[in-house]
Structure formats: structure tokens, C-alpha cells
């Protein structure tokens, strides 16, 4: 089953199978998101960007918005 995870270090949303605890890119801890894969896949581009901004603003409020969206 696919689960949505967010890496605060990479500012990236990962779709991973199983309940992972470490980012596959940087090995830092992941946050499992409450949104399902089906709900995430139904989001359009702007909604996905807004989700990235919300996730990042809750973890790192001083980052520039251009940096936040580089991987979303």
C-alpha cells in the first residue's frame, strides 16, 4: 500500500510503500501524512503546491517560497 510522507529536510513529498521512517534521499526522519495516495493523486498542481507550502510553513517558517516549491 502507498503512503504519503514528507521530508522536512528535502522539502519533498514522497509516495512510498509501507510505513517508512527515513527519507530515501537524505536518510532524515519522515513525517507520514494523513492524506491518502488517492486523494493526493486527485489534487491539481496548484493544490499540491499549496500542500507543500502548508507542510513547510509548519516546519520551517523562514524558508523562501521559491525554495519550498523546488521539489513539489
Amino acid at each position: 500500500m502507498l503512503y504519503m510522507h514528507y521530508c522536512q529536510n528535502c522539502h519533498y513529498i514522497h509516495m512510498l510503500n509501507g510505513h517508512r521512517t527515513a527519507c530515501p534521499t537524505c536518510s532524515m526522519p519522515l513525517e507520514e501524512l494523513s492524506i491518502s495516495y488517492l486523494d493526493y493523486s486527485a489534487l491539481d498542481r496548484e493544490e499540491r503546491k499549496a500542500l507543500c507550502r502548508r507542510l513547510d510553513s509548519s516546519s520551517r517558517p523562514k524558508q523562501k517560497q521559491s525554495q519550498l516549491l523546488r521539489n513539489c
Side-chain angles (χ1 to χ4, degrees), residues 6-71:
Y6 180 69
C7 178
Q8 294 176 353
N9 188 54
C10 296
H11 309 282
Y12 194 80
I13 295 176
H14 295 279
M15 293 175 273
L16 303 169
N17 60 340
H19 299 283
R20 303 292 176 99
T21 57
C23 176
T25 305
C26 69
S27 301
M28 296 298 287
L30 287 171
E31 174 185 347
E32 189 169 322
L33 304 178
S34 59
I35 189 170
S36 71
Y37 170 74
L38 290 175
D39 290 339
Y40 181 80
S41 65
L43 298 177
D44 64 27
R45 183 180 180 134
E46 292 304 314
E47 291 170 322
R48 289 180 187 193
K49 285 182 180 181
L51 176 61
C52 284
R53 284 192 293 268
R54 280 195 312 268
L55 290 169
D56 209 61
S57 67
S58 66
S59 63
R60 294 181 184 209
K62 295 182 181 180
Q63 292 286 332
K64 293 181 181 177
Q65 289 298 326
S66 61
Q67 292 174 328
L68 302 180
L69 300 177
R70 65 188 159 103
N71 290 324

